[in-house]
Amino acid sequence: MAFEELLTSNEDWFLKAGPSCEVVVSSRVRFARNLEGKKFPHNSSAVEQSEVVTEVHKAISTLPQAPNLQFVHLNKISSLDRQFLTEHQLISAEHAASLGERAVAFDAKEGLSFLVNEEDHLRLQVFRGGLSLKEAFQNLNQIDQTLCSKLHFAKDPQLGYLTACPTNLGTALRASVMLHLPALVYCNRAAQVLQGVTQVGLTVRGLQGETTQIASAFFQISNQSSLGKRGAEIVEHVDRVARQMVEVELQTQKTVFQEEGLKLQDRICRALGTLKNAKIITLREALDGLSALRVGVEQKILSGIDLPNLNHLLILIQPAHLAKIAGRELNPDMEAMERARILSLYLKSAEAV
Amino acid sequence: MLCQKCQQRPATVFFSQTVGNQTTQAHLCEVCAQAQGQAYGVMNPMNFNPFAAFSDFLNNFMAWDDGAIAEVNSGRKKPATVDPQLQCPHCGYQLSFFRQNGRLGCTKCYEAFKAALEPLISSIHGKVVHVEDLPAEKTDPLTERRSQKPEVKALREKISQAIQAEKYEEAARLRDEIKNLETEKNG
C-alpha cells in the first residue's frame, strides 16, 4: 500500500479553519482544459491517452509548484489506493473508476490537484477550508495562465474552452462550496431555502438526513452555467449566495437555541456519548453524529475539540482511510469496528461543557 | 424494475424523503437520481459529486429534446434535419454517440456538429458567448479596483468617516478626488 504519509500529515488544507468555517466546510474551484486537436479521453486509444499524460506531465513539471507535487499513474495503483485518493479529495470518483491511462499530480497540503484524462484531458482543482472561493480561484488562475504558455488548450472565440461535455464550455469553471445547514434542516426550512438557491442559477446537491433531524445536513452549491460570464464573476456570485446561506443558517441556529436550547443540547451530548463509546458504527450514523458535534462546537456546548478536528474525522471515517489505518482490507463489520475505534480515539478529550 | 422517471434504465437507487408526516419514495436510475440533486451514493460529505456536470447536462439535454419533440408534435416546428449518423471528419465520432453518453469525441466535434449543438448549448447556458477573464493579477476585484497608493488609502478612510457622519457631499467630493488620483496613476 502507498500514500501512508497522507494519513499522518497534519498540514492538509482541511485541517485549517477557514473563513465562515462554522457553516462552510470547504470551497473548491476547478477548470477543465483540453489539448487542441486531440481526441477526448473516453474516445482515445491507450497510446493516445498516454501521449496526453506525458505531455501534460511535462508541462506540470515546469510549474513553480512542481517540487511539492506527487505524480501518480492511477492505472498502476490498487483500487483501494484510488478510493483512498478519492476520499482525500485528490481525485474524483469518476477518475478513480474509469479505465485507461490516467494520472494525477497533487499537493495534498494545498488541496491542489491536476487530474489527467478524467472527463477532459486536464482538470485543475483547488480546495480550501471554509469559504475561500476567491482565494482558490486566484490561485488556480495563476497556475492556469502559466500552463497556457506551455500547452495548447483548445479554445473557441464564441464557446470559450472546449470540453468533452457542453455543460462545461466557456470558462470551464466550476465553483462549489460544501455547506453544513443543521438548523435549517432541523426547522424543515432547508428545502425551501435551497429552492431559492436554484432559482439564482446555482445547482444544489445534498444528503438529506433520515434518521435524526439534526442529521448530516451537508449540501453542496455550485454554478450551473460556465459560459457567458467571466470566471471572477461566477466565483463572486457563488460566494455571495454562500454568504447569505451562512447568515441564514447562523440566524436560524440562534433562534432554535433560544427556543429549544435544552433539547438540542441533549441531542448533541447524546451524539458525543455515542461517538465516544460505540464499538460498531456505520458511516451514516457517524456522519449524523459528527454533524451534531459541529453544532456543539459552534454553540460552545462541547470543549476539547474544534472544527478542523471534525473535518479531519469526516475524512478518516471513510472506508479506504480506515483500511489504510488498519493496514489491511476490511470487511464491512471490521470496518464499522475500526470506525468506532478511530472515533473514540480522536474524541477522547471532547467533553460537554 | 425500471426507473420511474425515464422508464428506460433499470432503477438502482431507492430513496425516501420525509417532509413533515409525509414520506415519499422514489425508484430511480443512477442518472435520474443524480439529476434529482440527490447525491445519494456519495456518503462522504466532503466529496463533491463527480458526475454532476454530466447529469446536469443530461437533464438539460433531455429537457431540450422533449421540448423539441413537443414542438414537432404540435406542428409548430418541422422535425430537425440533423442526421444522427453524422460523423466528425477529424475523429470519426458520430452524433448518435453523443446522444447516448453526452460527450463529444474531440474538440473539432463542436464544428462538425454545430447545427445540432447550437440549440442545446443555448438551452444549457443561455444565448451567450464566452467572456475572457482578466489576466491573473487583475482578477481580484479588490486589487483590480483599488489602488494601493497611500494617499488614496487615506482618502478612503476619510470617505468611511464622512459616510458614518452622514456627510454625503463630503464623501462624494473625496470619491472624485480618488478618481482623479487613479486616472493620473493609470494615465
Side-chain angles (χ1 to χ4, degrees):
Chain A
M1 285 205 257
F3 311 118
E4 266 77 12
E5 70 283 0
L6 292 178
L7 279 178
T8 49
S9 161
N10 50 10
E11 295 171 287
D12 283 4
W13 63 271
F14 47 81
L15 295 172
K16 291 169 199 149
S20 300
C21 64
E22 65 277 21
V23 176
V24 184
V25 182
S26 59
S27 303
R28 173 214 186 213
V29 177
R30 77 111 173 94
F31 293 163
R33 299 286 181 261
N34 287 284
L35 304 180
E36 177 66 46
K38 296 230 193 274
K39 291 179 188 169
F40 292 132
H42 75 102
N43 188 36
S44 14
S45 67
V47 175
E48 289 165 323
Q49 287 171 345
S50 70
E51 278 170 15
V52 170
V53 172
T54 311
E55 194 176 339
V56 173
H57 185 192
K58 210 175 124 200
I60 291 173
S61 320
T62 62
L63 289 172
Q65 289 82 359
N68 301 321
L69 292 175
Q70 192 172 347
F71 194 87
V72 180
H73 285 273
L74 294 178
N75 38 326
K76 291 189 183 143
I77 62 173
S78 69
S79 66
L80 179 70
D81 282 338
R82 287 198 294 270
Q83 195 190 339
F84 178 77
L85 294 180
T86 311
E87 292 171 4
H88 221 81
Q89 307 287 311
L90 295 167
I91 61 173
S92 65
E94 186 182 11
H95 205 199
S98 67
L99 298 169
E101 298 287 327
R102 59 214 196 279
V104 64
F106 63 79
D107 177 351
K109 279 180 203 165
E110 296 298 319
L112 167 69
S113 38
F114 301 82
L115 285 66
V116 190
N117 283 341
E118 200 231 34
E119 185 176 290
D120 295 294
H121 292 141
L122 175 62
R123 285 192 167 192
L124 321 76
Q125 64 177 29
V126 169
F127 274 97
R128 283 277 180 277
L131 184 53
S132 312
L133 280 178
K134 290 181 185 174
E135 191 201 326
F137 173 68
Q138 272 179 297
N139 188 337
L140 206 56
N141 213 16
Q142 240 150 29
I143 296 170
D144 178 53
Q145 298 216 338
T146 318
L147 278 181
C148 270
S149 61
K150 301 178 198 296
L151 292 168
H152 193 194
F153 292 137
K155 206 172 174 187
D156 176 273
Q158 247 100 55
L159 298 176
Y161 288 101
L162 299 175
T163 50
C165 187
T167 41
N168 296 316
L169 286 169
T171 54
L173 176 154
R174 197 158 303 263
S176 350
V177 288
M178 181 58 74
L179 301 166
H180 180 229
L181 308 173
L184 287 170
V185 169
Y186 181 77
C187 301
N188 280 328
R189 281 185 58 211
Q192 176 205 343
V193 171
L194 292 168
Q195 180 72 32
V197 171
T198 62
Q199 281 162 5
V200 292
L202 300 185
T203 302
V204 179
R205 288 177 195 87
L207 188 85
Q208 197 83 37
E210 288 161 341
T211 48
T212 55
Q213 273 186 311
I214 290 194
S216 16
F218 295 98
F219 299 91
Q220 180 208 329
I221 63 171
S222 61
N223 60 304
Q224 198 153 35
S225 164
S226 48
L227 181 68
K229 272 192 202 163
R230 283 203 180 94
E233 287 175 84
I234 294 174
V235 166
E236 173 88 42
H237 182 54
V238 180
D239 180 82
R240 200 167 43 233
V241 175
R243 267 169 219 285
Q244 286 168 357
M245 299 297 290
V246 170
E247 210 170 289
V248 174
E249 168 61 25
L250 291 180
Q251 189 56 47
T252 313
Q253 264 184 35
K254 208 171 144 191
T255 318
V256 292
F257 269 89
Q258 271 162 7
E259 288 166 6
E260 305 177 60
L262 194 63
K263 203 170 142 193
L264 294 167
Q265 210 173 329
D266 174 70
R267 190 170 279 190
I268 288 160
C269 295
R270 280 168 187 269
L272 179 65
T274 304
L275 295 193
K276 271 179 93 158
N277 299 302
K279 298 293 171 217
I280 300 170
I281 190 163
T282 62
L283 180 57
R284 180 75 216 201
E285 191 180 0
L287 287 177
D288 286 356
L290 287 175
S291 174
L293 297 199
R294 290 186 85 88
V295 184
V297 171
E298 289 154 34
Q299 297 293 333
K300 305 203 168 45
I301 291 166
L302 302 179
S303 68
I305 184 134
D306 59 15
L307 291 174
N309 293 148
L310 292 174
N311 282 350
H312 197 191
L313 275 174
L314 285 176
I315 290 181
L316 288 178
I317 58 165
Q318 306 288 327
H321 275 74
L322 293 172
K324 203 58 95 168
I325 294 168
R328 63 204 157 103
E329 299 222 14
L330 301 173
N331 67 33
D333 287 343
M334 285 150 59
E335 184 192 301
M337 284 188 250
E338 185 65 9
R339 183 175 295 116
R341 189 182 74 81
I342 291 300
L343 282 165
S344 61
L345 185 69
Y346 275 75
L347 296 172
K348 211 194 284 172
S349 52
E351 271 173 17
V353 176
Chain B
M1 181 189 283
L2 284 179
C3 169
Q4 288 176 349
K5 200 174 175 202
C6 65
Q7 301 285 338
Q8 279 175 10
R9 290 171 286 262
T12 52
V13 183
F14 306 93
F15 68 84
S16 61
Q17 192 175 23
T18 310
V19 179
N21 298 324
Q22 275 226 312
T23 302
T24 40
Q25 289 190 320
H27 302 244
L28 302 176
C29 69
E30 184 112 356
V31 174
C32 295
Q34 297 279 0
Q36 285 283 48
Q38 304 283 341
Y40 73 96
V42 190
M43 285 295 280
N44 180 356
M46 301 282 284
N47 201 358
F48 290 91
N49 182 352
F51 299 106
F54 183 49
S55 61
D56 284 354
F57 157 72
L58 272 180
N59 207 13
N60 282 309
F61 185 39
M62 287 168 182
W64 168 73
D65 232 6
D66 292 344
I69 291 164
E71 282 193 65
V72 171
N73 288 345
S74 64
R76 270 187 287 136
K77 203 176 173 185
K78 287 207 164 87
T81 50
V82 180
D83 173 13
Q85 302 300 311
L86 194 66
Q87 271 196 346
C88 167
H90 185 77
C91 71
Y93 203 71
Q94 284 187 12
L95 186 57
S96 60
F97 301 163
F98 170 71
R99 298 221 158 176
Q100 282 157 20
N101 67 16
R103 289 173 188 181
L104 292 155
C106 72
T107 54
K108 309 273 182 214
C109 287
Y110 280 99
E111 193 53 45
F113 307 140
K114 200 172 179 190
L117 291 174
E118 253 174 6
L120 173 65
I121 292 169
S122 9
S123 81
I124 299 172
H125 298 282
K127 283 195 196 308
V128 286
V129 294
H130 177 59
V131 189
E132 279 298 315
D133 245 297
L134 302 163
E137 62 272 23
K138 281 193 178 172
T139 47
D140 177 14
L142 287 177
T143 48
E144 190 189 328
R145 281 200 298 263
R146 296 197 164 180
S147 149
Q148 295 304 313
K149 271 189 181 177
E151 57 264 46
V152 172
K153 237 178 173 176
L155 281 173
R156 234 176 234 124
E157 268 167 35
K158 276 189 191 168
I159 289 193
S160 310
Q161 287 163 10
I163 291 172
Q164 289 219 324
E166 298 185 13
K167 292 178 185 163
Y168 300 112
E169 278 174 27
E170 169 78 358
R173 192 187 58 75
L174 290 164
R175 182 201 58 204
D176 293 341
E177 209 170 305
I178 291 179
K179 227 186 223 170
N180 288 337
L181 273 171
E182 296 206 314
T183 359
E184 249 171 59
K185 185 193 167 200
N186 296 336

